[in-house]
Amino acid sequence: MILLAVLFLCFISSYSASVKGHTTGLSLNNDRLYKLTYSTEVLLDRGKGKLQDSVGYRISSNVDVALLWRNPDGDDDQLIQITMKDVNVENVNQQRGEKSIFKGKSPPKIMGKENLEALQRPMLLHLIHGKVKEFYSYQNEPVAIENIKRGLASLFQTQLSSGTTNEVDISGNCKVTYQAHQGKVIKIKALDSCKIARSGFTTPNQVLGVSSKATSVTTYKIEDSFVIAVLAEETHAFGLNFLQTITGKIVSKQKLELKTTEAGPRLMSGKQAATIIKAVDSKYTAIPIVGQVFQSHCKGCPSILEHWQSTRKYLQPDSLSKAEAVRNFLAFVQHLRTAKKEEILQILKMESKEVLPQLVDAVTSAQTSDSLEAILDFLDFKSDSSIILQERFLYACGFASHPDEELLRALISKFKGSIGSSDIRETVMIIIGTLVRKLCQNEGCKLKAVVEAKKLILGGLEKAEKKEDTRMYLLALKNALLPEGIPSLLKYAEAGEGPISHLATTTLQRYDLPFITDEVKKTLNRIYHQNRKVHEKTVRTTAAAIILNNNPSYMEVKNILLSIGELPQEMNKYMLAIVQDILRFEMPASKIVRRVLKEMVAHNYDRFSRSGSSSAYTGYIERTPHSASTYSLDILYSGSGILRRSNLNIFQYIGKAGLHGSQVVIEAQGLEALIAATPDEGEENLDSYAGMSAILFDVQLRPVTFFNGYSDLMSKMLSASGDPISVVKGLILLIDHSQELQLQSGLKANIEVQGGLAIDISGAMEFSLWYRESKTRVKNRVTVVITTDITVDSSFVKAGLETSTETEAGLEFISTVQFSQYPFLVCMQMDKDEAPFRQFEKKYERLSTGRGYVSQKRKESVLAGCEFPLHQENSEMCKVVFAPQPDSTSSGWF
């Protein structure tokens, strides 16, 4: 009885986990013809899910399915024939009416006679235990047509019991989960697990990246071990991480229904499927069930030269501040990705010097082997006559969205060769550091070129004899952020001369928390408290900032607070402002700082009433539940009232991911002699110097010098025009996402997201001995355009959704100091200009013959300008105000 009970329970369990009648896959009855209807449709929209806002199309047909052969040694080994008949193509959105591109057109006219004939030729499917063993079709059929047949054939692959397995179908080798119920099977395909060869790339930085989600669910209704209905739905949704209004969605559906069965072909006898296939038609050939890549041919499309001739007028120097310049830059980059080296080189050689810098930006941003070879052939690094072009090329390499080993190898080769300009040689090494970090972030740390570059940076830093070489390798390390470089950084930070020591500490400042170990903080504490030698204020304050931003201990915070009051006057005020900013902005160190401040010895009026003009302030540019943009400004003055350092930073955060959007640092030293003032401790012998350093989108750029030495200072003061010096200017491809999708219906989808900007960051430092006044100015002008392009292509009809979001913005910081008396007067202001904000949307359906439908929308608003608070007495956040403008919509034929 116990044995019987166990057997009964096992039977019930097996029954509940499978479909009655069969335990493996679909099984066809002998000598029967199954007549079904089939349709596949695709819809594109911006994720709202409204049919009237979507574009797409539907392919439908009747389908005949018959069993040709069954293995006499096993029922689960079957060869079936599938034939599509009466194919039709139509709109999904029936509201299109007279505007339908299919109206009045027969299937041969829409698809082409050869395509239609190929689609309606029978295909053979060899199934073993419900899974595809082989897929047979005819040779030399169009790939796009074969993919549609693969999409239908893949629906017949299923199993009738619950479980998880790997299957190969049109989507590739995918992990699938089956949920079997009475008369029904649900198949869930994990699309992110599918292994299939498809081109694509994305921006690795999460802030600038694109998030996507894909799902696939197929429901089978089973009766007598065969389908009476199949409904499959596949969705692909994406969104830009930092701007959630930029979204898109592809919905692909397949529907297969059994209408009737009737007498069919008699079962063929034989022991091998191959023999049967040869008997049916010797022209059948086995082809992969996995979808294959095809390219739609563009008839009468312009050449790359013709594209450039229509683009170049928008890339004139005077036009770069306009959104249409960036829009055309992005479009031309896409065209360059299909161009050959010779074509690109021809355009480079014939272009004028005014437009060449912008063309170099575009060619480098294309990031193809042909574009790299062309630009390297064009630029002569041995000459110093084309420094601007060489610099634009190098910075475009630094901002590359998906650099490869070939690019790094090329720059290493240039560095080892002859370079005419010392500034360009320094920039090459700085950008090598950037590429090392980007490749390591993309799991490329063990690539030969990366290993060689690491040795070049670390070995060069170790053996450097000249200050210029030491600075160059430190700047490269500031971009590469190699953990193995930290010991060298500590050595230069503590023992190096002023500018080198400062550069080493600011490099350490860029490392993440796990790398700022107790050993590192011991050295930083010695620097701040000057245990071994006297250091400049800029070095000491940077060391303190690193300690306070990286899990400081109770005693570290206490010792820093106790030092306030014993420092030079302006450094006292600066450190006090740093501590107050930590508390006000609720930074991670705020809790430990509050604990220490409970001690009266650390928190008293004498310590917290120090006067001075130095300051530190952090605020929000914008704040949402999922993201935040922050700015921070800290200014350190010398005791005589002359600017020592101003540091303006902008960060963007998405969750825990961050992007250092920009940093502009203006530094000055050794200027006390101009006003007969006494230098601060440790700064008595500094040479007169002023310069600017910038980080842009996590890339440290080559610093710019305003003047170096007293004689240089005097000559520039006498000849100064007051015009700012540009730190970086050009067109940058910042967001770059390309994804090719094989839909399980057989159609091909593409998702392209590009973000570009025209940027101009400049700075100036002015002195007036007559008025005893100094002024620093940092100006950021940025034009941003983000475009998306989603398409679904069947080779004979194409649907697409294009969007564009653009704005033109300006941010200016001005600091004026009058040092005719003490305490000196300081005026600081940071203003954001009024900015237009425009959104465009274009939806279309187009036949390969040229006939199409298009719908366009436009929406405009204005982001009001505002002034940001820069000190704690005025901490109200600058609010962004949208002033909406009238929308416009149009649709029609083209």
Side-chain angles (χ1 to χ4, degrees):
M1 285 296 293
I2 294 174
L3 182 59
L4 269 173
V6 171
L7 288 171
F8 178 76
L9 287 172
C10 288
F11 173 76
I12 291 297
S13 175
S14 175
Y15 183 88
S16 64
S18 63
V19 178
K20 184 178 179 182
H22 217 271
T23 57
T24 53
L26 300 179
S27 179
L28 282 71
N29 291 326
N30 299 352
D31 307 333
R32 301 300 296 172
L33 179 66
Y34 295 81
K35 301 189 80 66
L36 306 97
T37 59
Y38 172 70
S39 67
T40 178
E41 63 185 51
V42 64
L43 289 170
L44 308 179
D45 62 34
R46 297 188 67 177
K48 298 175 182 177
K50 296 180 180 179
L51 181 62
Q52 62 269 27
D53 293 333
S54 303
V55 287
Y57 48 89
R58 178 188 294 122
I59 302 170
S60 59
S61 73
N62 292 321
V63 176
D64 289 351
V65 180
L67 178 66
L68 298 183
W69 171 82
R70 192 192 305 275
N71 193 329
D73 297 330
D75 287 352
D76 281 333
D77 188 352
Q78 307 168 89
L79 183 69
I80 64 175
Q81 185 181 65
I82 305 169
T83 308
M84 297 179 71
K85 294 182 175 182
D86 308 319
V87 177
N88 191 34
V89 188
E90 60 187 343
N91 280 110
V92 180
N93 187 350
Q94 297 301 324
Q95 297 177 353
R96 197 77 77 231
E98 293 295 323
K99 295 179 180 179
S100 171
I101 62 174
F102 306 112
K103 186 174 178 61
K105 287 197 172 275
S106 63
K109 291 285 186 183
I110 296 170
M111 300 178 63
K113 186 178 178 181
E114 290 183 4
N115 284 340
L116 184 60
E117 288 176 354
L119 188 59
Q120 295 187 149
R121 289 192 197 109
M123 52 188 143
L124 304 182
L125 197 61
H126 187 187
L127 297 173
I128 298 179
H129 300 296
K131 304 301 170 74
V132 176
K133 171 68 174 174
E134 290 288 356
F135 174 67
Y136 297 89
S137 191
Y138 291 92
Q139 284 186 338
N140 301 322
E141 288 184 336
V143 175
I145 298 302
E146 284 184 339
N147 282 347
I148 295 174
K149 296 166 80 169
R150 289 181 174 104
L152 171 58
S154 292
L155 291 179
F156 290 89
Q157 178 167 246
T158 186
Q159 69 182 45
L160 305 184
S161 59
S162 297
T164 299
T165 186
N166 270 66
E167 284 184 357
V168 178
D169 66 4
I170 186 168
S171 303
N173 190 334
C174 309
K175 180 181 178 182
V176 294
T177 300
Y178 285 94
Q179 298 171 356
H181 309 277
Q182 183 68 33
K184 185 169 74 171
V185 174
I186 298 174
K187 175 181 177 179
I188 302 170
K189 186 188 299 181
L191 292 174
D192 57 352
S193 72
C194 293
K195 296 176 182 177
I196 184 171
R198 287 293 182 273
S199 62
F201 46 79
T202 191
T203 306
N205 186 282
Q206 190 177 339
V207 174
L208 299 173
V210 173
S211 294
S212 59
K213 184 179 181 181
T215 61
S216 171
V217 179
T218 305
T219 302
Y220 293 84
K221 290 185 179 179
I222 309 293
E223 189 176 283
D224 193 22
S225 297
F226 191 71
V227 294
I228 57 173
V230 182
L231 183 61
E233 182 166 326
E234 176 184 11
T235 63
H236 294 268
F238 76 90
L240 190 61
N241 290 337
F242 84 92
L243 193 58
Q244 292 192 321
T245 57
I246 296 179
T247 58
K249 190 176 183 180
I250 301 170
V251 180
S252 175
K253 297 179 181 180
Q254 292 171 276
K255 187 176 181 181
L256 184 66
E257 285 186 303
L258 178 65
K259 291 303 180 183
T260 184
T261 62
E262 58 185 47
R266 294 185 61 81
L267 205 62
M268 300 178 71
S269 61
K271 289 194 174 184
Q272 298 292 331
T275 306
I276 304 300
I277 294 164
K278 191 173 183 180
V280 173
D281 192 337
S282 60
K283 293 181 181 178
Y284 274 118
T285 183
I287 61 174
I289 189 72
V290 177
Q292 301 298 298
V293 177
F294 74 91
Q295 298 294 334
S296 293
H297 297 291
C298 185
K299 298 177 182 178
C301 285
S303 66
I304 188 67
L305 180 58
E306 290 171 323
H307 278 300
W308 173 242
Q309 288 170 344
S310 63
T311 299
R312 66 182 306 278
K313 62 183 177 183
Y314 299 105
L315 300 187
Q316 297 290 335
D318 295 340
S319 304
L320 292 183
S321 61
K322 299 176 182 177
E324 60 186 4
V326 185
R327 205 183 314 126
N328 280 274
F329 163 74
L330 292 176
F332 190 61
V333 167
Q334 291 290 69
H335 294 308
L336 282 167
R337 285 177 171 167
T338 60
K340 300 298 182 185
K341 172 187 171 181
E342 293 74 18
E343 296 174 312
I344 300 171
L345 202 53
Q346 179 189 0
I347 297 172
L348 285 166
K349 288 179 177 179
M350 64 183 288
E351 194 45 70
S352 64
K353 64 179 182 180
E354 290 80 11
V355 184
L356 255 180
Q358 291 76 258
L359 179 56
V360 169
D361 290 338
V363 171
T364 312
S365 298
Q367 300 176 70
T368 65
S369 295
D370 283 281
S371 64
L372 178 59
E373 289 177 17
I375 195 69
L376 289 174
D377 280 5
F378 177 72
L379 296 174
D380 182 9
F381 281 83
K382 295 177 182 179
S383 169
D384 60 358
S385 61
S386 59
I387 289 178
I388 292 175
L389 299 182
Q390 294 169 29
E391 190 173 63
R392 292 283 278 263
F393 161 71
L394 291 169
Y395 283 152
C397 291
F399 297 124
S401 54
H402 52 281
D404 57 14
E405 188 181 13
E406 181 186 7
L407 176 59
L408 179 57
R409 198 181 297 114
L411 292 192
I412 292 173
S413 175
K414 290 297 178 186
F415 182 79
K416 290 181 176 180
S418 175
I419 299 178
S421 165
S422 58
D423 286 347
I424 292 300
R425 183 174 185 272
E426 183 179 37
T427 306
V428 171
M429 177 48 63
I430 292 170
I431 299 306
I432 285 174
T434 302
L435 297 181
V436 166
R437 185 179 84 251
K438 289 190 174 185
L439 288 168
C440 282
Q441 287 173 341
N442 207 24
E443 300 180 351
C445 256
K446 294 182 180 179
L447 294 171
K448 287 183 179 180
V450 175
V451 173
E452 183 181 356
K454 285 182 180 182
K455 290 179 180 178
L456 200 60
I457 295 170
L458 298 174
L461 185 58
E462 193 69 31
K463 298 173 185 176
E465 296 179 357
K466 299 178 181 178
K467 284 193 296 185
E468 294 81 3
D469 287 344
T470 302
R471 185 183 92 143
M472 175 179 69
Y473 289 114
L474 283 173
L475 287 167
L477 191 54
K478 194 171 183 178
N479 276 330
L481 298 178
L482 301 174
E484 51 267 52
I486 290 176
S488 296
L489 291 174
L490 293 175
K491 181 186 76 172
Y492 281 108
E494 189 167 21
E497 297 180 11
I500 296 298
S501 176
H502 183 226
L503 179 54
T505 51
T506 56
T507 301
L508 283 167
Q509 197 172 20
R510 296 200 70 201
Y511 280 81
D512 291 333
L513 174 63
F515 300 106
I516 308 301
T517 62
D518 291 340
E519 192 65 34
V520 172
K521 286 199 277 187
K522 281 181 184 177
T523 304
L524 295 171
N525 275 292
R526 288 198 302 268
I527 291 171
Y528 176 73
H529 296 291
Q530 303 190 117
N531 298 133
R532 292 185 178 175
K533 63 174 283 190
V534 174
H535 293 277
E536 294 179 23
K537 292 193 298 292
T538 54
V539 178
R540 296 179 69 189
T541 52
T542 304
I546 299 171
I547 294 167
L548 292 171
N549 288 331
N550 290 275
N551 284 348
S553 67
Y554 186 90
M555 285 308 299
E556 285 172 338
V557 173
K558 183 176 179 179
N559 286 334
I560 288 174
L561 287 173
L562 290 175
S563 71
I564 298 175
E566 310 299 327
L567 306 169
Q569 185 165 0
E570 282 299 325
M571 189 173 169
N572 271 327
K573 178 63 177 175
Y574 180 86
M575 290 306 302
L576 186 60
I578 288 288
V579 171
Q580 290 171 333
D581 194 43
I582 288 172
L583 295 172
R584 183 193 57 79
F585 201 69
E586 293 291 337
M587 295 180 188
S590 60
K591 292 181 180 179
I592 193 76
V593 171
R594 284 193 171 89
R595 279 182 57 201
V596 176
L597 288 176
K598 291 179 180 178
E599 292 192 39
M600 189 64 71
V601 67
H603 189 194
N604 54 60
Y605 178 78
D606 179 61
R607 206 174 301 283
F608 276 74
S609 62
R610 297 288 169 173
S611 63
S613 298
S614 299
S615 64
Y617 187 86
T618 303
Y620 286 105
I621 296 175
E622 188 179 10
R623 193 179 187 184
T624 68
H626 92 289
S627 67
S629 300
T630 67
Y631 69 94
S632 65
L633 173 68
D634 59 86
I635 299 183
L636 176 63
Y637 292 100
S638 67
S640 58
I642 295 177
L643 176 75
R644 192 68 176 84
R645 181 187 66 203
S646 75
N647 186 356
L648 176 63
N649 289 277
I650 296 176
F651 285 89
Q652 176 74 42
Y653 297 97
I654 304 289
K656 294 183 179 180
L659 173 70
H660 199 169
S662 71
Q663 178 191 69
V664 180
V665 180
I666 294 181
E667 293 183 75
Q669 66 178 38
L671 304 180
E672 284 75 14
L674 290 173
I675 56 172
T678 304
D680 293 336
E681 179 192 12
E683 300 181 355
E684 296 87 356
N685 300 316
L686 295 179
D687 292 333
S688 298
Y689 167 82
M692 181 164 59
S693 174
I695 292 174
L696 186 61
F697 303 115
D698 272 337
V699 178
Q700 170 69 54
L701 309 179
R702 183 177 59 81
V704 174
T705 299
F706 296 148
F707 57 81
N708 192 2
Y710 188 78
S711 58
D712 189 26
L713 165 62
M714 296 310 296
S715 68
K716 287 182 177 173
M717 284 183 67
L718 293 172
S719 61
S721 64
D723 293 334
I725 295 177
S726 178
V727 180
V728 61
K729 184 176 183 178
L731 293 159
I732 299 173
L733 179 63
L734 193 61
I735 300 166
D736 199 11
H737 177 89
S738 178
Q739 191 175 3
E740 185 176 330
L741 303 172
Q742 177 60 66
L743 301 182
Q744 61 190 29
S745 62
L747 304 178
K748 180 184 78 167
N750 287 83
I751 298 174
E752 304 278 345
V753 184
Q754 268 78 41
L757 66 158
I759 191 163
D760 186 356
I761 297 180
S762 58
M765 190 171 184
E766 303 169 19
F767 293 93
S768 172
L769 296 179
W770 181 262
Y771 293 106
R772 298 179 73 82
E773 180 181 273
S774 70
K775 180 179 288 188
T776 58
R777 182 186 299 117
V778 177
K779 191 168 185 178
N780 293 265
R781 287 294 308 170
V782 177
T783 300
V784 182
V785 176
I786 300 170
T787 63
T788 68
D789 185 7
I790 318 170
T791 59
V792 175
D793 195 358
S794 65
S795 79
F796 51 85
V797 60
K798 187 176 186 179
L801 171 63
E802 299 174 3
T803 69
S804 177
T805 303
E806 56 189 48
T807 186
E808 299 153 11
L811 186 69
E812 185 170 23
F813 164 70
I814 300 174
S815 172
T816 305
V817 182
Q818 292 183 350
F819 45 83
S820 56
Q821 59 183 3
Y822 195 88
F824 38 83
L825 302 177
V826 180
C827 175
M828 295 186 297
Q829 62 187 93
M830 188 165 78
D831 300 324
K832 182 165 73 69
D833 298 340
E834 180 180 271
F837 188 78
R838 296 180 287 268
Q839 294 174 291
F840 304 91
E841 179 185 283
K842 176 183 174 182
K843 297 178 290 188
Y844 64 87
E845 295 159 354
R846 181 187 300 131
L847 294 175
S848 59
T849 55
R851 185 181 184 185
Y853 162 84
V854 65
S855 171
Q856 299 184 89
K857 291 182 180 179
R858 176 189 178 105
K859 187 175 183 180
E860 293 191 46
S861 56
V862 176
L863 283 68
C866 60
E867 184 176 336
F868 292 95
L870 296 175
H871 53 82
Q872 296 174 26
E873 287 75 18
N874 179 19
S875 58
E876 183 179 352
M877 189 173 81
C878 180
K879 293 180 174 60
V880 177
V881 180
F882 287 86
Q885 306 293 316
D887 297 352
S888 65
T889 304
S890 65
S891 64
W893 299 92
F894 67 89

